[in-house]
Amino acid sequence: MSEDSSPPPPLPARKSLDSILIETEISKKLPDLPSAANANQRISFDLNDSVSQISAVRQWEIYTSLQLNETSDIFVNNAIGQNTIRTKLNELKDDHTKFWIDMNDYSSSILLPKRINKLEEEILTGIPSNIRYLVYLKTLLVRQKLNSRETFSSLLTKSRQLRDEYIESLAVDSRVREILIVFNYYVNEITNSKFEIESDENSELMQLPISRFIINVCILLGTFPEASQEDVLYLLLKFNKLYTCLNKDEFFYKVSRSLEEGLADIFKHISVQGINLNSLFRSILVQLFSSELLDEEVCLRVLDFVVFEGFDFVLRSILYLFRKNLEKIQELDGDALLQFLNSPEFCQVEFDFKEVLAEEPSLIQYENEFYLINANSMSNNSNELTNLKEVNDELVVKINDLKRKIDSLQATHSEISDQSEQYTKDLSEAEIENQKLLKRQAELQEKYQNLTMAENLSNTIKANQEFSQRNFELESQIKNLQNSIEEKNAKLAKVQQS
């Protein structure tokens, strides 16, 4: 290296440890929490949550799914529908309606902070009747409306052309009947979702009437004073979707398991009577919405809870009913118990909805059990299918052997058939000959009978002649005796005179 060469440039100063730590913390700062617009993605529940919270979250997930939307051409998506509902609610805002109107975003204001208890308190206090239908429309996310070519009146006119005697015979208000007529027309005609069964006699398709659940719910919705028939129809379609999408087998299984765990003695007592629990639960499910059997306010309160917590609330109500009728059930058995459980008296108890909400069945556990049973059933079916295939292969071999035996038997059968034909011919000839002989026998028997009668007559004549001869001889002897007696009498008279 030469002396004139310049020294290397100095190294940059090292950063202090503190500055490195500060820079690292700044560069690795966690991102901000997502905004309220993304809050939907974070709504969930865990196993430690109450049944109410779990049910409400899952019900909200159902409302936001596509399965609850109507896909018919008579409806169009109403993008501003929810805004219109909120506007109507704001116009009715007062101290009684404040909570329901301020609850703009049900998911973020109730579900996300897990304030389900507050919601239940307000439901127990009562949803004001003048905004109940608006709360339903908002919660159920009703966004459709009739297209520009249709109105409720035009649908009603079309519906009346398909007269339904079952709906016409219902003892309901005319306004409710018209809604049911349009609903029935829409479900069974427009959406091509007819409930059909095939008759064994004439193979005709029969249309079944709408369910009693829908009728009961429609009667309740018809009590909303401010709701139009079109609004009620939208709500009824939503409830119909909820009811038809409900897995009845899973629901009834959860009710049975809840009874088995919570009221084991009652469950055992009912089970040993041979009562069909699924039919019983289905009947109670319908009765809880019947204002003809229960107080209308009770039915509306049940419907309120179903809107926010789904049919799991009905499950808790059924548990409550069994708990309230505990003593009565234990006193009865047999037909008397079955009659009581299916009677309106079973549901006509004084409802305390706080006690209903206190029911905390292990729904997640029962659902897991149900799906595990189904999964095992499918696995068993797969194993059974494999076994059936093996059995089928064995049967194919046996069938081939049997076919060979059948061919051999067929040849033997042909020989036997030929012999049978000959025997049949011989038998026919023998039968003809037998008929001739029988006829000849009858003729001879008749002739013999005639001969026998002539011989009997001859013997009778001969016997009569013999009897006549003997009578003549006896008469002669009698005359001789009479003459002898007369002679002796004459001699006796002479002796007496001398």
Side-chain angles (χ1 to χ4, degrees), residues 57-106:
V57 171
R58 294 198 297 192
Q59 198 66 13
W60 173 79
E61 291 173 349
I62 292 175
Y63 294 152
T64 56
S65 66
L66 297 177
Q67 64 178 342
L68 246 64
N69 295 330
E70 299 296 334
T71 57
S72 172
D73 293 338
I74 70 170
F75 293 117
V76 294
N77 186 34
N78 186 12
I80 62 172
Q82 289 291 303
N83 293 334
T84 304
I85 294 172
R86 292 190 182 96
T87 301
K88 291 182 179 180
L89 282 171
N90 289 328
E91 294 174 355
L92 300 171
K93 189 171 183 178
D94 56 29
D95 293 339
H96 299 291
T97 61
K98 185 177 185 302
F99 172 83
W100 301 104
I101 295 174
D102 291 343
M103 191 180 66
N104 286 329
D105 191 347
Y106 161 59

Side-chain angles (χ1 to χ4, degrees), residues 215-339:
I215 295 173
N216 291 343
V217 170
C218 187
I219 293 173
L220 293 176
L221 297 178
T223 62
F224 298 169
E226 305 296 331
S228 66
Q229 288 180 304
E230 186 175 331
D231 290 331
V232 173
L233 176 63
Y234 296 153
L235 291 175
L236 194 61
L237 290 172
K238 286 288 186 179
F239 282 111
N240 181 59
K241 285 283 188 179
L242 285 175
Y243 185 69
T244 54
C245 292
L246 174 66
N247 188 334
K248 307 297 191 303
D249 292 334
E250 177 192 349
F251 178 77
F252 297 149
Y253 177 82
K254 290 192 295 185
V255 179
S256 296
R257 288 288 288 116
S258 300
L259 278 177
E260 186 179 8
E261 293 292 335
L263 296 168
D265 293 339
I266 290 297
F267 180 80
K268 181 179 179 181
H269 178 66
I270 296 175
S271 298
V272 297
Q273 306 297 324
I275 295 175
N276 188 330
L277 292 177
N278 285 0
S279 298
L280 175 61
F281 298 151
R282 188 184 300 273
S283 174
I284 298 173
L285 170 61
V286 174
Q287 290 183 32
L288 284 173
F289 299 92
S290 175
S291 57
E292 298 176 357
L293 302 177
L294 306 179
D295 182 72
E296 184 178 285
E297 285 301 318
V298 171
C299 296
L300 286 172
R301 196 63 50 83
V302 172
L303 191 62
D304 292 341
F305 277 106
V306 169
V307 167
F308 289 97
E309 298 184 6
F311 286 99
D312 285 341
F313 181 80
V314 175
L315 184 154
R316 299 161 82 181
S317 300
I318 294 175
L319 289 180
Y320 173 76
L321 289 174
F322 276 96
R323 203 177 296 278
K324 290 289 287 186
N325 290 287
L326 183 64
E327 296 180 358
K328 183 72 172 179
I329 293 174
Q330 290 175 335
E331 294 173 358
L332 302 174
D333 55 15
D335 293 340
L337 176 59
L338 177 61
Q339 184 177 0

Side-chain angles (χ1 to χ4, degrees), residues 273-479:
Q273 306 297 324
I275 295 175
N276 188 330
L277 292 177
N278 285 0
S279 298
L280 175 61
F281 298 151
R282 188 184 300 273
S283 174
I284 298 173
L285 170 61
V286 174
Q287 290 183 32
L288 284 173
F289 299 92
S290 175
S291 57
E292 298 176 357
L293 302 177
L294 306 179
D295 182 72
E296 184 178 285
E297 285 301 318
V298 171
C299 296
L300 286 172
R301 196 63 50 83
V302 172
L303 191 62
D304 292 341
F305 277 106
V306 169
V307 167
F308 289 97
E309 298 184 6
F311 286 99
D312 285 341
F313 181 80
V314 175
L315 184 154
R316 299 161 82 181
S317 300
I318 294 175
L319 289 180
Y320 173 76
L321 289 174
F322 276 96
R323 203 177 296 278
K324 290 289 287 186
N325 290 287
L326 183 64
E327 296 180 358
K328 183 72 172 179
I329 293 174
Q330 290 175 335
E331 294 173 358
L332 302 174
D333 55 15
D335 293 340
L337 176 59
L338 177 61
Q339 184 177 0
F340 171 70
L341 293 175
N342 286 293
S343 68
E345 181 184 355
F346 178 77
C347 295
Q348 291 171 346
V349 300
E350 185 176 351
F351 260 85
D352 186 341
F353 285 95
K354 290 184 179 180
E355 293 185 11
V356 176
L357 294 173
E359 299 286 349
E360 290 283 332
S362 303
L363 298 183
I364 303 298
Q365 174 188 338
Y366 304 150
E367 289 170 0
N368 291 338
E369 291 176 0
F370 177 80
Y371 288 107
L372 182 61
I373 290 172
N374 284 350
N376 289 337
S377 177
M378 293 177 63
S379 177
N380 292 336
N381 290 340
S382 178
N383 294 334
E384 185 176 354
L385 181 60
T386 302
N387 295 334
L388 289 174
K389 287 182 179 179
E390 295 177 356
V391 173
N392 179 68
D393 294 338
E394 295 177 359
L395 290 175
V396 169
V397 174
K398 292 182 179 180
I399 287 173
N400 292 332
D401 292 338
L402 290 174
K403 283 182 178 179
R404 287 192 293 270
K405 292 180 180 179
I406 288 173
D407 293 338
S408 176
L409 291 173
Q410 189 67 36
T412 305
H413 174 70
S414 299
E415 295 177 1
I416 294 174
S417 296
D418 294 339
Q419 293 179 1
S420 176
E421 291 177 359
Q422 183 62 38
Y423 292 154
T424 301
K425 182 179 179 181
D426 295 343
L427 179 61
S428 299
E429 294 176 354
E431 286 180 348
I432 294 172
E433 185 66 23
N434 183 51
Q435 292 295 330
K436 292 180 179 179
L437 293 174
L438 290 174
K439 184 177 180 181
R440 179 61 178 166
Q441 181 185 12
E443 293 174 353
L444 292 174
Q445 284 180 346
E446 184 178 0
K447 186 176 181 180
Y448 173 75
Q449 289 176 355
N450 293 334
L451 291 174
T452 303
M453 291 177 64
E455 184 178 353
N456 290 338
L457 180 60
S458 175
N459 292 335
T460 302
I461 293 172
K462 185 177 180 180
N464 288 337
Q465 290 175 350
E466 291 178 355
F467 289 146
S468 177
Q469 181 64 32
R470 291 182 63 184
N471 287 338
F472 179 76
E473 293 176 354
L474 289 173
E475 288 176 354
S476 298
Q477 291 177 4
I478 290 170
K479 287 181 179 180

Side-chain angles (χ1 to χ4, degrees), residues 6-220:
S6 60
L11 294 173
R14 292 187 178 185
K15 296 181 179 180
S16 65
L17 184 60
D18 293 338
S19 64
I20 293 175
L21 291 175
I22 293 172
E23 183 178 351
T24 303
E25 290 177 359
I26 295 174
S27 61
K28 294 185 178 181
K29 184 178 179 180
L30 295 175
D32 295 333
L33 291 174
S35 61
N38 297 324
N40 294 348
Q41 301 175 2
R42 297 183 286 111
I43 295 176
S44 62
F45 60 85
D46 55 55
L47 297 179
N48 295 324
D49 287 336
S50 65
V51 173
S52 297
Q53 175 69 19
I54 295 173
S55 301
V57 171
R58 294 198 297 192
Q59 198 66 13
W60 173 79
E61 291 173 349
I62 292 175
Y63 294 152
T64 56
S65 66
L66 297 177
Q67 64 178 342
L68 246 64
N69 295 330
E70 299 296 334
T71 57
S72 172
D73 293 338
I74 70 170
F75 293 117
V76 294
N77 186 34
N78 186 12
I80 62 172
Q82 289 291 303
N83 293 334
T84 304
I85 294 172
R86 292 190 182 96
T87 301
K88 291 182 179 180
L89 282 171
N90 289 328
E91 294 174 355
L92 300 171
K93 189 171 183 178
D94 56 29
D95 293 339
H96 299 291
T97 61
K98 185 177 185 302
F99 172 83
W100 301 104
I101 295 174
D102 291 343
M103 191 180 66
N104 286 329
D105 191 347
Y106 161 59
S107 58
S108 61
S109 61
I110 299 296
L111 300 182
L112 187 59
K114 297 186 177 182
R115 297 176 61 235
I116 193 66
N117 291 338
K118 175 61 177 175
L119 175 63
E120 290 177 340
E121 290 176 3
E122 294 295 334
I123 295 176
L124 291 175
T125 302
I127 303 176
S129 59
N130 61 326
I131 66 167
R132 181 180 256 126
Y133 84 99
L134 293 172
V135 173
Y136 280 18
L137 288 171
K138 184 176 69 171
T139 305
L140 293 169
L141 299 181
V142 176
R143 296 191 179 96
Q144 79 267 8
K145 66 176 182 178
L146 294 173
N147 61 40
S148 58
R149 300 185 303 275
E150 296 287 356
T151 63
F152 184 86
S153 298
S154 65
L155 286 177
L156 181 60
T157 302
K158 296 176 183 178
S159 304
R160 289 193 183 280
Q161 296 175 2
L162 301 173
R163 186 177 181 83
D164 191 304
E165 295 182 358
Y166 176 70
I167 297 178
E168 294 291 344
S169 64
L170 293 174
V172 295
D173 182 74
S174 59
R175 181 170 177 267
V176 172
R177 181 180 290 105
E178 290 176 352
I179 297 171
L180 288 173
I181 291 173
V182 174
F183 171 84
N184 185 57
Y185 170 74
Y186 172 78
V187 171
N188 290 311
E189 297 296 331
I190 296 179
T191 62
N192 295 322
S193 57
K194 294 182 180 180
F195 299 100
E196 296 175 339
I197 59 174
E198 187 171 344
S199 173
D200 294 333
E201 297 180 358
N202 50 16
S203 298
E204 292 182 355
L205 292 177
M206 300 173 60
Q207 180 176 307
L208 296 179
I210 57 180
S211 69
R212 189 68 211 184
F213 169 82
I214 291 299
I215 295 173
N216 291 343
V217 170
C218 187
I219 293 173
L220 293 176

